[in-house]
Amino acid sequence: VSCLHDYEHWLRMHSCKMREQFSNPPSRNPNILGYRLEKLLGRGSFGVVFLAVARETKESYAIKVFNKHRVHNACSAYSIIRERNMLAVLHHPFIIRLVDSFQCSQNLYVVTDFMECGCLHDHLRLKKTFRYEEVKFMAAMLNGWLKISDMGISYALQDASCFITDPKAVGTIGYIAPIIMRKPYNFAVDWYSLGVIIFELLVGIGPECYRRERCPEAKQFEVVFPPEINAVCVDLVRRLLMRNPSFRLGNLRTKVHEVRHHPFFRDVDFIGLLNRTVQ
Ligand SMILES: Nc1ncnc2c1ncn2[C@@H]1O[C@H](COP(=O)(O)OP(=O)(O)OP(=O)(O)O)[C@@H](O)[C@H]1O
């Protein structure tokens, strides 16, 4: 078992030889370097996630296990490395904590905090929709009581004035903001994704299913909100989903640049919630 950084070297050496095959599923080896695998928590695009208990402290963690032979292209391998490296430098109460990372000849292991309640998307799948007050709480806490995880497709910006110039746009289809290819973009893309998430939590499916053509010549669309959605919420989501980032709520150039000052969050005590989260 060695440090995950060695994997970058391994990848360079073996990228041409990588074949898609699954060998030695980790479930057959429930003891991994000081952790005992308890049960399968879920499966992602590249690996499986287990609940694991540290043998010494008896603390529970989540271990993501990536089979090296299944990581069959450089793109997915770098996404894993990026996720691990991003988590290693991010120390924030609202972001999932990297506890450990190591590898054996078959697998890469990334150990993080165990989130007892699972992932928000799984809850949405079960519940179909959330109530207005629940959505407000989650949107306010989407960085608090909810923890951000999954950094495989993230970019680090020095500060809010920075732009990403990498020509490859990364993100999940349905959540990613409209980006003009080869044009720089900034953190305003995250506010667009927040708009998608709020819409989805309230309606049960993403706004792309509720688009109506506004100007066919210019290929412009607008989101049609189901009538039961509260007007304040409609206003928030509409501003977050602005195609042009210069007009999008949250962008420093817009008049109301603080998303949390929007009337939707009027009765939310952000500082109080933050303090309670950190304690
Ligand atoms: N830290 C964790 N605590 C508890 N459950 C987790 C944790 N991380 C992942 N899971 C569970 O494992 C599942 C798979 O997680 P993973 O991050 O590998 O993939 P994903 O985010 O669902 O998809 P993708 O790999 O496409 O990003 C999640 O849906 C969740 O149910």
Side-chain angles (χ1 to χ4, degrees), residues 113-142:
D113 285 333
F114 166 53
M115 297 287 105
E116 253 180 88
C117 299
C119 96
L120 178 60
H121 220 256
D122 295 342
H123 288 276
L124 182 63
R125 239 176 267 143
L126 286 175
K127 253 181 85 98
K128 310 288 184 232
T129 58
F130 287 95
R131 283 178 289 123
Y132 181 79
E133 286 303 318
E134 292 173 322
V135 176
K136 185 195 297 191
F137 177 75
M138 285 189 279
M141 288 293 96
L142 196 73

Side-chain angles (χ1 to χ4, degrees), residues 9 11 24 56 62 66 94 100 119 126 169 181 219 221 259:
H9 176 68
L11 178 71
N24 291 340
E56 227 170 72
F66 305 97
F94 299 171
D100 207 349
C119 96
L126 286 175
M181 293 312 269
K219 291 209 168 95
F221 295 87
V259 173

Side-chain angles (χ1 to χ4, degrees), residues 9 11 19 21 23 29 44 65 83 137 188 198-199 225 245:
H9 176 68
L11 178 71
R19 279 179 291 127
Q21 52 180 243
S23 57
N29 172 19
V65 184
E83 169 159 25
F137 177 75
I198 294 176
F199 187 99
F225 291 81

Side-chain angles (χ1 to χ4, degrees), residues 41-49 62 64 66 83 96 112-116 118-119 122 125 149-150:
L41 292 173
R43 288 174 195 279
S45 318
F46 308 130
V48 279
V49 185
K64 274 194 188 188
F66 305 97
E83 169 159 25
I96 205 156
T112 63
D113 285 333
F114 166 53
M115 297 287 105
E116 253 180 88
C119 96
D122 295 342
R125 239 176 267 143
S149 67
D150 221 344

Side-chain angles (χ1 to χ4, degrees), residues 140-186:
M141 288 293 96
L142 196 73
N143 292 322
W145 293 60
L146 296 175
K147 290 209 187 205
I148 297 186
S149 67
D150 221 344
M151 301 284 167
I153 49 172
S154 52
Y155 271 104
L157 293 182
Q158 285 302 312
D159 59 59
S161 61
C162 293
F163 281 82
I164 296 165
T165 49
D166 187 331
K168 291 190 294 303
V170 290
T172 306
I173 291 173
Y175 297 87
I176 190 170
I179 291 166
I180 303 167
M181 293 312 269
R182 299 184 201 288
K183 286 265 166 112
Y185 56 98
N186 69 357

Side-chain angles (χ1 to χ4, degrees), residues 191 249 257-266 268 270-271:
W191 293 125
L249 188 64
H257 65 262
E258 284 274 18
V259 173
R260 64 196 161 141
H261 291 167
H262 188 276
F264 178 76
F265 295 115
R266 202 180 38 224
V268 173
F270 281 95
I271 304 295

